[in-house]
Short mmCIF file of all heavy atoms in Angstrom, two decimals:
data_model
loop_
_atom_site.label_atom_id
_atom_site.label_comp_id
_atom_site.label_asym_id
_atom_site.label_seq_id
_atom_site.Cartn_x
_atom_site.Cartn_y
_atom_site.Cartn_z
N THR B 1 8.93 32.11 15.80
CA THR B 1 10.03 31.54 15.03
C THR B 1 9.76 31.77 13.56
O THR B 1 8.64 31.45 13.11
CB THR B 1 10.26 30.06 15.31
OG1 THR B 1 10.50 29.88 16.72
CG2 THR B 1 11.42 29.48 14.55
N TRP B 2 10.71 32.22 12.83
CA TRP B 2 10.63 32.42 11.37
C TRP B 2 11.80 31.66 10.77
O TRP B 2 12.89 31.69 11.33
CB TRP B 2 10.68 33.92 11.05
CG TRP B 2 10.90 34.21 9.62
CD1 TRP B 2 9.92 34.41 8.73
CD2 TRP B 2 12.10 34.43 8.91
NE1 TRP B 2 10.44 34.72 7.46
CE2 TRP B 2 11.81 34.71 7.58
CE3 TRP B 2 13.46 34.36 9.29
CZ2 TRP B 2 12.78 34.95 6.63
CZ3 TRP B 2 14.40 34.59 8.33
CH2 TRP B 2 14.04 34.88 7.03
N GLU B 3 11.61 31.04 9.64
CA GLU B 3 12.73 30.32 8.98
C GLU B 3 12.68 30.58 7.48
O GLU B 3 11.61 30.81 6.89
CB GLU B 3 12.62 28.84 9.34
CG GLU B 3 11.34 28.21 8.82
CD GLU B 3 11.14 26.78 9.32
OE1 GLU B 3 10.84 26.62 10.48
OE2 GLU B 3 11.40 25.87 8.52
N GLN B 4 13.86 30.54 6.87
CA GLN B 4 14.00 30.77 5.45
C GLN B 4 15.13 29.89 4.94
O GLN B 4 16.25 29.94 5.46
CB GLN B 4 14.27 32.20 5.16
CG GLN B 4 14.51 32.51 3.68
CD GLN B 4 13.31 32.32 2.82
OE1 GLN B 4 12.20 32.68 3.19
NE2 GLN B 4 13.46 31.66 1.64
N HIS B 5 14.85 29.06 3.96
CA HIS B 5 15.88 28.24 3.31
C HIS B 5 16.73 29.13 2.40
O HIS B 5 16.17 29.93 1.66
CB HIS B 5 15.26 27.08 2.52
CG HIS B 5 14.64 26.08 3.43
ND1 HIS B 5 15.33 25.05 4.02
CD2 HIS B 5 13.35 25.94 3.87
CE1 HIS B 5 14.49 24.34 4.77
NE2 HIS B 5 13.31 24.86 4.68
N LEU B 6 18.04 29.04 2.49
CA LEU B 6 18.97 29.84 1.71
C LEU B 6 19.41 29.05 0.52
O LEU B 6 19.42 27.80 0.47
CB LEU B 6 20.12 30.31 2.55
CG LEU B 6 19.71 31.07 3.84
CD1 LEU B 6 20.93 31.35 4.69
CD2 LEU B 6 19.00 32.34 3.50
N PHE B 7 19.97 29.72 -0.50
CA PHE B 7 20.34 29.15 -1.78
C PHE B 7 21.44 28.08 -1.62
O PHE B 7 21.53 27.12 -2.39
CB PHE B 7 20.75 30.18 -2.83
CG PHE B 7 22.06 30.81 -2.50
CD1 PHE B 7 23.24 30.32 -3.10
CD2 PHE B 7 22.16 31.87 -1.67
CE1 PHE B 7 24.46 30.89 -2.83
CE2 PHE B 7 23.41 32.48 -1.43
CZ PHE B 7 24.54 31.97 -1.99
N ASN B 8 22.26 28.21 -0.63
CA ASN B 8 23.41 27.28 -0.46
C ASN B 8 23.04 26.06 0.47
O ASN B 8 23.92 25.32 0.82
CB ASN B 8 24.64 28.00 0.12
CG ASN B 8 24.38 28.50 1.52
OD1 ASN B 8 23.29 28.39 2.08
ND2 ASN B 8 25.38 29.14 2.12
N GLY B 9 21.77 25.90 0.77
CA GLY B 9 21.31 24.77 1.55
C GLY B 9 21.30 25.05 3.02
O GLY B 9 20.83 24.24 3.82
N SER B 10 21.76 26.22 3.46
CA SER B 10 21.71 26.63 4.86
C SER B 10 20.29 27.11 5.19
O SER B 10 19.43 27.22 4.27
CB SER B 10 22.66 27.76 5.13
OG SER B 10 24.00 27.35 4.97
N LEU B 11 20.04 27.34 6.45
CA LEU B 11 18.72 27.75 6.92
C LEU B 11 18.87 28.95 7.83
O LEU B 11 19.68 28.94 8.75
CB LEU B 11 18.02 26.60 7.67
CG LEU B 11 16.62 26.88 8.18
CD1 LEU B 11 15.66 26.96 7.04
CD2 LEU B 11 16.21 25.71 9.14
N ALA B 12 18.17 30.03 7.55
CA ALA B 12 18.12 31.15 8.44
C ALA B 12 16.91 31.04 9.37
O ALA B 12 15.83 30.70 8.91
CB ALA B 12 18.00 32.50 7.67
N VAL B 13 17.12 31.24 10.68
CA VAL B 13 16.05 31.12 11.67
C VAL B 13 16.11 32.39 12.53
O VAL B 13 17.12 32.79 13.03
CB VAL B 13 16.28 29.86 12.57
CG1 VAL B 13 15.26 29.81 13.65
CG2 VAL B 13 16.24 28.62 11.71
N MET B 14 14.94 32.97 12.71
CA MET B 14 14.79 34.16 13.56
C MET B 14 13.93 33.80 14.75
O MET B 14 12.86 33.28 14.62
CB MET B 14 14.14 35.31 12.78
CG MET B 14 14.08 36.60 13.60
SD MET B 14 13.22 37.95 12.77
CE MET B 14 14.12 38.04 11.18
N LEU B 15 14.45 34.12 15.96
CA LEU B 15 13.70 33.92 17.19
C LEU B 15 13.43 35.30 17.79
O LEU B 15 14.36 36.10 17.89
CB LEU B 15 14.52 33.08 18.15
CG LEU B 15 14.92 31.71 17.66
CD1 LEU B 15 15.93 31.06 18.62
CD2 LEU B 15 13.74 30.82 17.44
N ILE B 16 12.23 35.55 18.17
CA ILE B 16 11.81 36.87 18.65
C ILE B 16 11.18 36.69 20.06
O ILE B 16 10.32 35.90 20.25
CB ILE B 16 10.78 37.49 17.73
CG1 ILE B 16 11.36 37.61 16.33
CG2 ILE B 16 10.35 38.85 18.24
CD1 ILE B 16 10.31 37.96 15.23
N ASN B 17 11.70 37.49 20.98
CA ASN B 17 11.09 37.55 22.32
C ASN B 17 10.36 38.87 22.40
O ASN B 17 10.93 39.96 22.58
CB ASN B 17 12.18 37.49 23.42
CG ASN B 17 11.61 37.51 24.80
OD1 ASN B 17 10.39 37.71 24.96
ND2 ASN B 17 12.43 37.45 25.79
N ARG B 18 9.05 38.81 22.36
CA ARG B 18 8.20 40.05 22.43
C ARG B 18 7.78 40.34 23.86
O ARG B 18 7.09 41.31 24.13
CB ARG B 18 6.96 39.87 21.58
CG ARG B 18 7.34 39.79 20.12
CD ARG B 18 6.10 39.67 19.24
NE ARG B 18 6.53 39.58 17.83
CZ ARG B 18 5.78 39.21 16.86
NH1 ARG B 18 4.53 38.92 17.10
NH2 ARG B 18 6.24 39.18 15.64
N GLY B 19 8.22 39.51 24.79
CA GLY B 19 7.89 39.67 26.19
C GLY B 19 8.69 40.77 26.91
O GLY B 19 9.64 41.35 26.37
N SER B 20 8.33 40.98 28.16
CA SER B 20 9.03 41.98 29.00
C SER B 20 10.11 41.42 29.87
O SER B 20 10.69 42.12 30.69
CB SER B 20 8.00 42.77 29.79
OG SER B 20 7.30 41.88 30.63
N SER B 21 10.37 40.14 29.76
CA SER B 21 11.47 39.48 30.54
C SER B 21 12.19 38.50 29.62
O SER B 21 11.64 38.02 28.62
CB SER B 21 10.90 38.79 31.77
OG SER B 21 10.02 37.74 31.41
N GLY B 22 13.43 38.30 29.99
CA GLY B 22 14.26 37.29 29.20
C GLY B 22 13.74 35.91 29.35
O GLY B 22 13.07 35.57 30.30
N CYS B 23 14.07 35.08 28.37
CA CYS B 23 13.61 33.69 28.44
C CYS B 23 14.59 32.79 27.71
O CYS B 23 15.33 33.23 26.85
CB CYS B 23 12.22 33.53 27.88
SG CYS B 23 12.06 33.92 26.14
N ASP B 24 14.59 31.53 28.09
CA ASP B 24 15.37 30.51 27.38
C ASP B 24 14.46 29.78 26.40
O ASP B 24 13.39 29.37 26.77
CB ASP B 24 15.94 29.47 28.37
CG ASP B 24 17.02 30.06 29.27
OD1 ASP B 24 17.76 30.94 28.77
OD2 ASP B 24 17.09 29.72 30.44
N ILE B 25 14.89 29.69 25.15
CA ILE B 25 14.08 29.07 24.14
C ILE B 25 14.83 27.85 23.59
O ILE B 25 15.96 27.98 23.05
CB ILE B 25 13.80 30.01 22.95
CG1 ILE B 25 12.98 31.22 23.44
CG2 ILE B 25 13.08 29.30 21.82
CD1 ILE B 25 12.69 32.28 22.41
N PRO B 26 14.30 26.65 23.82
CA PRO B 26 14.91 25.49 23.22
C PRO B 26 14.62 25.43 21.73
O PRO B 26 13.51 25.73 21.27
CB PRO B 26 14.23 24.30 23.96
CG PRO B 26 12.95 24.83 24.39
CD PRO B 26 13.11 26.33 24.61
N LEU B 27 15.68 25.13 20.93
CA LEU B 27 15.49 25.05 19.49
C LEU B 27 15.80 23.65 19.03
O LEU B 27 16.96 23.23 19.09
CB LEU B 27 16.44 26.09 18.82
CG LEU B 27 16.36 26.10 17.28
CD1 LEU B 27 14.98 26.57 16.82
CD2 LEU B 27 17.40 27.06 16.73
N LYS B 28 14.77 22.93 18.65
CA LYS B 28 14.93 21.56 18.19
C LYS B 28 15.03 21.57 16.67
O LYS B 28 14.33 22.29 15.98
CB LYS B 28 13.74 20.75 18.60
CG LYS B 28 13.54 20.60 20.05
CD LYS B 28 12.34 19.76 20.43
CE LYS B 28 12.05 19.78 21.92
NZ LYS B 28 10.84 19.08 22.23
N ALA B 29 15.92 20.72 16.14
CA ALA B 29 16.08 20.63 14.71
C ALA B 29 14.75 20.28 14.04
O ALA B 29 14.45 20.81 12.97
CB ALA B 29 17.15 19.57 14.38
N GLY B 30 13.98 19.37 14.63
CA GLY B 30 12.71 19.02 14.04
C GLY B 30 11.68 20.18 13.98
O GLY B 30 10.85 20.19 13.09
N ASP B 31 11.88 21.16 14.86
CA ASP B 31 10.97 22.33 14.85
C ASP B 31 11.12 23.21 13.61
O ASP B 31 10.22 23.93 13.24
CB ASP B 31 11.14 23.19 16.08
CG ASP B 31 10.69 22.47 17.39
OD1 ASP B 31 9.98 21.48 17.31
OD2 ASP B 31 11.09 22.98 18.48
N VAL B 32 12.29 23.16 13.03
CA VAL B 32 12.58 23.96 11.83
C VAL B 32 12.77 23.07 10.58
O VAL B 32 13.35 23.49 9.61
CB VAL B 32 13.77 24.92 12.02
CG1 VAL B 32 13.47 25.99 13.04
CG2 VAL B 32 15.02 24.15 12.44
N GLY B 33 12.21 21.84 10.69
CA GLY B 33 12.24 20.97 9.50
C GLY B 33 13.58 20.31 9.19
O GLY B 33 13.85 19.94 8.04
N LEU B 34 14.46 20.18 10.17
CA LEU B 34 15.76 19.56 9.94
C LEU B 34 15.85 18.27 10.71
O LEU B 34 15.20 18.11 11.74
CB LEU B 34 16.89 20.49 10.39
CG LEU B 34 16.98 21.84 9.74
CD1 LEU B 34 18.01 22.71 10.42
CD2 LEU B 34 17.32 21.72 8.29
N LEU B 35 16.67 17.38 10.21
CA LEU B 35 16.97 16.17 10.92
C LEU B 35 17.87 16.46 12.09
O LEU B 35 18.61 17.45 12.10
CB LEU B 35 17.65 15.14 10.02
CG LEU B 35 16.84 14.73 8.80
CD1 LEU B 35 17.67 13.78 7.91
CD2 LEU B 35 15.54 14.00 9.20
N ASP B 36 17.81 15.63 13.13
CA ASP B 36 18.63 15.86 14.35
C ASP B 36 20.04 15.39 14.16
O ASP B 36 20.60 14.63 14.95
CB ASP B 36 17.99 15.13 15.53
CG ASP B 36 16.74 15.84 16.00
OD1 ASP B 36 16.69 17.05 15.80
OD2 ASP B 36 15.87 15.16 16.57
N LYS B 37 20.68 15.86 13.10
CA LYS B 37 22.13 15.58 12.85
C LYS B 37 22.92 16.82 13.20
O LYS B 37 22.37 17.93 13.18
CB LYS B 37 22.34 15.19 11.40
CG LYS B 37 21.75 13.92 10.98
CD LYS B 37 22.07 13.61 9.55
CE LYS B 37 21.42 12.31 9.14
NZ LYS B 37 21.65 11.99 7.70
N GLN B 38 24.20 16.62 13.46
CA GLN B 38 25.04 17.74 13.87
C GLN B 38 25.12 18.78 12.76
O GLN B 38 25.38 18.48 11.61
CB GLN B 38 26.43 17.24 14.25
CG GLN B 38 27.32 18.30 14.78
CD GLN B 38 28.61 17.70 15.34
OE1 GLN B 38 28.62 16.56 15.67
NE2 GLN B 38 29.61 18.52 15.39
N LYS B 39 24.91 20.05 13.16
CA LYS B 39 24.98 21.16 12.25
C LYS B 39 25.64 22.35 12.93
O LYS B 39 25.57 22.41 14.16
CB LYS B 39 23.61 21.56 11.76
CG LYS B 39 22.92 20.52 10.94
CD LYS B 39 21.43 20.81 10.84
CE LYS B 39 20.69 19.63 10.27
NZ LYS B 39 20.66 18.47 11.03
N GLN B 40 26.22 23.23 12.20
CA GLN B 40 26.89 24.40 12.80
C GLN B 40 25.82 25.54 12.87
O GLN B 40 25.07 25.77 11.96
CB GLN B 40 28.03 24.83 11.91
CG GLN B 40 28.80 25.95 12.47
CD GLN B 40 29.91 26.35 11.51
OE1 GLN B 40 30.01 25.84 10.39
NE2 GLN B 40 30.79 27.23 11.94
N VAL B 41 25.77 26.21 14.05
CA VAL B 41 24.84 27.32 14.25
C VAL B 41 25.65 28.61 14.48
O VAL B 41 26.50 28.63 15.34
CB VAL B 41 23.93 27.03 15.50
CG1 VAL B 41 22.98 28.22 15.72
CG2 VAL B 41 23.15 25.73 15.31
N ARG B 42 25.32 29.62 13.73
CA ARG B 42 26.03 30.92 13.81
C ARG B 42 25.05 32.04 14.08
O ARG B 42 24.02 32.13 13.48
CB ARG B 42 26.76 31.15 12.52
CG ARG B 42 27.62 32.42 12.47
CD ARG B 42 28.44 32.50 11.21
NE ARG B 42 29.22 33.69 11.15
CZ ARG B 42 30.32 33.92 11.77
NH1 ARG B 42 30.87 32.96 12.51
NH2 ARG B 42 31.02 35.06 11.63
N ASN B 43 25.40 32.87 15.08
CA ASN B 43 24.61 34.07 15.36
C ASN B 43 25.03 35.13 14.35
O ASN B 43 26.17 35.60 14.32
CB ASN B 43 24.90 34.57 16.76
CG ASN B 43 24.09 35.74 17.17
OD1 ASN B 43 23.78 36.63 16.38
ND2 ASN B 43 23.75 35.82 18.46
N LEU B 44 24.11 35.55 13.50
CA LEU B 44 24.43 36.50 12.44
C LEU B 44 24.58 37.93 12.92
O LEU B 44 25.20 38.76 12.27
CB LEU B 44 23.41 36.43 11.30
CG LEU B 44 23.36 35.10 10.54
CD1 LEU B 44 22.28 35.12 9.52
CD2 LEU B 44 24.72 34.81 9.93
N TRP B 45 24.06 38.26 14.10
CA TRP B 45 24.25 39.63 14.63
C TRP B 45 25.59 39.76 15.24
O TRP B 45 26.31 40.79 15.05
CB TRP B 45 23.19 39.99 15.68
CG TRP B 45 21.75 39.98 15.27
CD1 TRP B 45 20.69 39.53 15.99
CD2 TRP B 45 21.13 40.53 14.03
NE1 TRP B 45 19.51 39.73 15.28
CE2 TRP B 45 19.82 40.32 14.09
CE3 TRP B 45 21.68 41.12 12.90
CZ2 TRP B 45 18.88 40.73 13.12
CZ3 TRP B 45 20.83 41.53 11.89
CH2 TRP B 45 19.45 41.34 11.98
N SER B 46 26.04 38.83 16.04
CA SER B 46 27.33 38.90 16.75
C SER B 46 28.48 38.23 15.99
O SER B 46 29.60 38.33 16.38
CB SER B 46 27.24 38.27 18.12
OG SER B 46 27.01 36.88 17.98
N HIS B 47 28.19 37.55 14.93
CA HIS B 47 29.19 36.84 14.04
C HIS B 47 29.94 35.80 14.87
O HIS B 47 31.14 35.61 14.69
CB HIS B 47 30.19 37.83 13.40
CG HIS B 47 29.50 38.94 12.66
ND1 HIS B 47 29.00 38.69 11.43
CD2 HIS B 47 29.30 40.25 12.93
CE1 HIS B 47 28.43 39.84 10.99
NE2 HIS B 47 28.62 40.76 11.86
N GLU B 48 29.21 35.11 15.76
CA GLU B 48 29.84 34.10 16.62
C GLU B 48 29.19 32.77 16.36
O GLU B 48 28.00 32.64 16.08
CB GLU B 48 29.64 34.44 18.11
CG GLU B 48 30.34 35.70 18.51
CD GLU B 48 30.07 36.06 19.94
OE1 GLU B 48 29.01 35.64 20.49
OE2 GLU B 48 30.86 36.79 20.52
N GLU B 49 30.00 31.72 16.48
CA GLU B 49 29.49 30.35 16.40
C GLU B 49 28.82 30.09 17.76
O GLU B 49 29.44 30.28 18.81
CB GLU B 49 30.61 29.35 16.12
CG GLU B 49 31.41 29.59 14.89
CD GLU B 49 30.58 29.65 13.60
OE1 GLU B 49 29.60 28.87 13.53
OE2 GLU B 49 30.87 30.51 12.78
N ILE B 50 27.62 29.63 17.74
CA ILE B 50 26.93 29.37 19.01
C ILE B 50 27.21 27.94 19.52
O ILE B 50 27.61 27.74 20.63
CB ILE B 50 25.37 29.54 18.88
CG1 ILE B 50 25.09 30.99 18.63
CG2 ILE B 50 24.64 29.03 20.09
CD1 ILE B 50 23.60 31.28 18.44
N ALA B 51 27.01 26.99 18.68
CA ALA B 51 27.21 25.57 19.05
C ALA B 51 27.00 24.72 17.85
O ALA B 51 26.59 25.20 16.81
CB ALA B 51 26.17 25.20 20.13
N ASP B 52 27.35 23.49 18.03
CA ASP B 52 26.99 22.49 17.03
C ASP B 52 25.57 22.05 17.36
O ASP B 52 25.31 21.67 18.49
CB ASP B 52 27.93 21.29 17.07
CG ASP B 52 29.30 21.64 16.49
OD1 ASP B 52 29.32 22.47 15.56
OD2 ASP B 52 30.27 21.04 16.88
N PHE B 53 24.71 22.13 16.41
CA PHE B 53 23.27 21.88 16.59
C PHE B 53 23.10 20.39 16.59
O PHE B 53 22.84 19.78 15.53
CB PHE B 53 22.52 22.53 15.47
CG PHE B 53 21.03 22.65 15.64
CD1 PHE B 53 20.29 23.27 14.67
CD2 PHE B 53 20.39 22.10 16.71
CE1 PHE B 53 18.92 23.39 14.78
CE2 PHE B 53 19.05 22.19 16.87
CZ PHE B 53 18.30 22.85 15.87
N LYS B 54 23.27 19.73 17.70
CA LYS B 54 23.15 18.25 17.79
C LYS B 54 21.72 17.84 17.98
O LYS B 54 21.25 16.96 17.26
CB LYS B 54 24.05 17.73 18.92
CG LYS B 54 25.51 17.98 18.65
CD LYS B 54 26.37 17.53 19.76
CE LYS B 54 27.84 17.87 19.43
NZ LYS B 54 28.68 17.70 20.58
N ALA B 55 21.06 18.44 18.92
CA ALA B 55 19.66 18.04 19.15
C ALA B 55 18.82 19.24 19.59
O ALA B 55 17.87 19.59 18.91
CB ALA B 55 19.59 16.97 20.17
N GLU B 56 19.20 19.89 20.71
CA GLU B 56 18.36 20.93 21.25
C GLU B 56 19.14 21.93 22.06
O GLU B 56 19.19 21.92 23.25
CB GLU B 56 17.29 20.31 22.17
CG GLU B 56 16.24 21.25 22.67
CD GLU B 56 15.20 20.56 23.48
OE1 GLU B 56 14.90 19.40 23.26
OE2 GLU B 56 14.70 21.20 24.44
N PRO B 57 19.77 22.93 21.36
CA PRO B 57 20.43 23.99 22.13
C PRO B 57 19.38 24.88 22.76
O PRO B 57 18.29 25.07 22.17
CB PRO B 57 21.22 24.76 21.10
CG PRO B 57 20.58 24.48 19.78
CD PRO B 57 19.95 23.09 19.92
N SER B 58 19.62 25.40 23.95
CA SER B 58 18.73 26.33 24.59
C SER B 58 19.35 27.70 24.47
O SER B 58 20.46 27.91 24.88
CB SER B 58 18.51 25.96 26.02
OG SER B 58 17.54 26.80 26.59
N LEU B 59 18.62 28.68 23.91
CA LEU B 59 19.14 30.00 23.68
C LEU B 59 18.47 31.02 24.56
O LEU B 59 17.21 31.03 24.63
CB LEU B 59 18.97 30.34 22.19
CG LEU B 59 19.50 29.30 21.21
CD1 LEU B 59 18.99 29.56 19.84
CD2 LEU B 59 21.02 29.36 21.22
N HIS B 60 19.24 31.85 25.21
CA HIS B 60 18.63 32.89 26.08
C HIS B 60 18.41 34.15 25.25
O HIS B 60 19.34 34.64 24.61
CB HIS B 60 19.52 33.19 27.31
CG HIS B 60 18.89 34.13 28.24
ND1 HIS B 60 17.88 33.73 29.10
CD2 HIS B 60 19.02 35.46 28.40
CE1 HIS B 60 17.47 34.77 29.80
NE2 HIS B 60 18.13 35.83 29.39
N ILE B 61 17.24 34.66 25.29
CA ILE B 61 16.86 35.86 24.53
C ILE B 61 16.33 36.91 25.50
O ILE B 61 15.41 36.64 26.27
CB ILE B 61 15.83 35.55 23.42
CG1 ILE B 61 16.40 34.48 22.50
CG2 ILE B 61 15.46 36.79 22.65
CD1 ILE B 61 15.49 34.05 21.39
N GLN B 62 16.92 38.07 25.45
CA GLN B 62 16.57 39.18 26.30
C GLN B 62 15.19 39.73 25.90
O GLN B 62 14.73 39.48 24.81
CB GLN B 62 17.63 40.29 26.26
CG GLN B 62 19.01 39.87 26.75
CD GLN B 62 18.98 39.47 28.21
OE1 GLN B 62 18.20 40.00 29.00
NE2 GLN B 62 19.86 38.58 28.60
N PRO B 63 14.57 40.54 26.77
CA PRO B 63 13.28 41.15 26.47
C PRO B 63 13.39 41.95 25.18
O PRO B 63 14.30 42.72 25.01
CB PRO B 63 12.96 42.04 27.64
CG PRO B 63 13.86 41.64 28.73
CD PRO B 63 15.05 40.90 28.13
N HIS B 64 12.41 41.77 24.32
CA HIS B 64 12.28 42.53 23.05
C HIS B 64 13.45 42.38 22.14
O HIS B 64 13.72 43.20 21.31
CB HIS B 64 12.08 44.08 23.33
CG HIS B 64 10.93 44.31 24.27
ND1 HIS B 64 9.62 44.10 23.94
CD2 HIS B 64 10.97 44.71 25.58
CE1 HIS B 64 8.87 44.37 25.01
NE2 HIS B 64 9.63 44.78 25.99
N GLU B 65 14.20 41.25 22.27
CA GLU B 65 15.36 40.95 21.46
C GLU B 65 15.01 40.01 20.32
O GLU B 65 14.13 39.19 20.47
CB GLU B 65 16.48 40.35 22.31
CG GLU B 65 17.75 40.07 21.52
CD GLU B 65 18.84 39.46 22.36
OE1 GLU B 65 18.55 38.59 23.21
OE2 GLU B 65 19.95 39.91 22.25
N THR B 66 15.70 40.16 19.22
CA THR B 66 15.56 39.24 18.09
C THR B 66 16.90 38.58 17.85
O THR B 66 17.93 39.21 17.86
CB THR B 66 15.17 40.00 16.79
OG1 THR B 66 13.90 40.61 17.05
CG2 THR B 66 15.04 39.03 15.64
N LEU B 67 16.89 37.29 17.71
CA LEU B 67 18.10 36.50 17.42
C LEU B 67 18.01 35.91 16.05
O LEU B 67 17.00 35.27 15.70
CB LEU B 67 18.23 35.38 18.51
CG LEU B 67 19.50 34.56 18.49
CD1 LEU B 67 20.69 35.48 18.74
CD2 LEU B 67 19.42 33.52 19.57
N LEU B 68 18.98 36.18 15.22
CA LEU B 68 19.02 35.68 13.82
C LEU B 68 20.16 34.65 13.71
O LEU B 68 21.32 34.99 13.96
CB LEU B 68 19.18 36.83 12.81
CG LEU B 68 19.18 36.42 11.37
CD1 LEU B 68 17.82 35.78 11.00
CD2 LEU B 68 19.40 37.66 10.49
N LEU B 69 19.81 33.44 13.33
CA LEU B 69 20.73 32.36 13.27
C LEU B 69 20.84 31.85 11.86
O LEU B 69 19.89 31.88 11.09
CB LEU B 69 20.30 31.18 14.16
CG LEU B 69 19.98 31.48 15.61
CD1 LEU B 69 19.43 30.27 16.27
CD2 LEU B 69 21.25 31.96 16.31
N LYS B 70 22.03 31.33 11.54
CA LYS B 70 22.25 30.62 10.29
C LYS B 70 22.67 29.22 10.64
O LYS B 70 23.65 29.03 11.36
CB LYS B 70 23.33 31.32 9.43
CG LYS B 70 23.59 30.63 8.12
CD LYS B 70 24.66 31.35 7.35
CE LYS B 70 24.95 30.69 6.02
NZ LYS B 70 26.00 31.43 5.33
N ILE B 71 21.90 28.24 10.22
CA ILE B 71 22.23 26.86 10.49
C ILE B 71 22.80 26.21 9.21
O ILE B 71 22.14 26.20 8.16
CB ILE B 71 20.96 26.08 10.91
CG1 ILE B 71 20.36 26.74 12.17
CG2 ILE B 71 21.30 24.60 11.16
CD1 ILE B 71 19.03 26.17 12.60
N ILE B 72 24.06 25.83 9.29
CA ILE B 72 24.76 25.30 8.15
C ILE B 72 24.65 23.75 8.15
O ILE B 72 24.99 23.11 9.11
CB ILE B 72 26.27 25.72 8.18
CG1 ILE B 72 26.27 27.27 8.22
CG2 ILE B 72 27.00 25.18 7.01
CD1 ILE B 72 27.64 27.83 8.58
N ARG B 73 24.07 23.27 7.07
CA ARG B 73 23.89 21.80 7.00
C ARG B 73 25.18 21.09 6.62
O ARG B 73 25.96 21.51 5.95
CB ARG B 73 22.84 21.46 5.94
CG ARG B 73 21.51 22.03 6.32
CD ARG B 73 20.53 21.66 5.25
NE ARG B 73 19.35 22.41 5.42
CZ ARG B 73 18.15 22.03 5.02
NH1 ARG B 73 18.00 20.88 4.48
NH2 ARG B 73 17.12 22.80 5.18
#
């Protein structure tokens, strides 16, 4: 997991699956230094809203895939 705070207060988070099989990765707000309040999560590759980041969305990542998210506070 990689994270970067953006100038507008949002947070960019990158999840990388280096394995040879897909996996579900739970993403907790506390893991990226955020409070467990509702936030909007957007997939920057597909330009889709994933979910409201309430506590712990589980994201499926294919083998050798990188997922880049923007979490809007």
Side-chain angles (χ1 to χ4, degrees):
T1 302
W2 169 89
E3 60 188 78
Q4 175 67 43
H5 293 275
L6 305 175
F7 72 95
N8 65 357
S10 297
L11 181 68
V13 176
M14 183 183 307
L15 303 171
I16 302 168
N17 180 358
R18 295 183 180 166
S20 58
S21 62
C23 64
D24 292 324
I25 297 177
L27 180 63
K28 298 179 185 176
D31 291 345
V32 292
L34 299 174
L35 298 176
D36 288 332
K37 293 183 180 177
Q38 185 170 338
K39 295 164 190 67
Q40 183 181 8
V41 179
R42 182 171 178 82
N43 182 327
L44 293 178
W45 297 140
S46 67
H47 306 286
E48 296 175 337
E49 304 302 322
I50 292 179
D52 286 331
F53 193 177
K54 295 177 183 169
E56 187 178 327
S58 185
L59 306 167
H60 186 77
I61 301 179
Q62 296 297 331
H64 309 290
E65 182 179 43
T66 299
L67 186 61
L68 182 60
L69 307 173
K70 180 179 180 182
I71 300 172
I72 303 167
R73 297 182 193 206

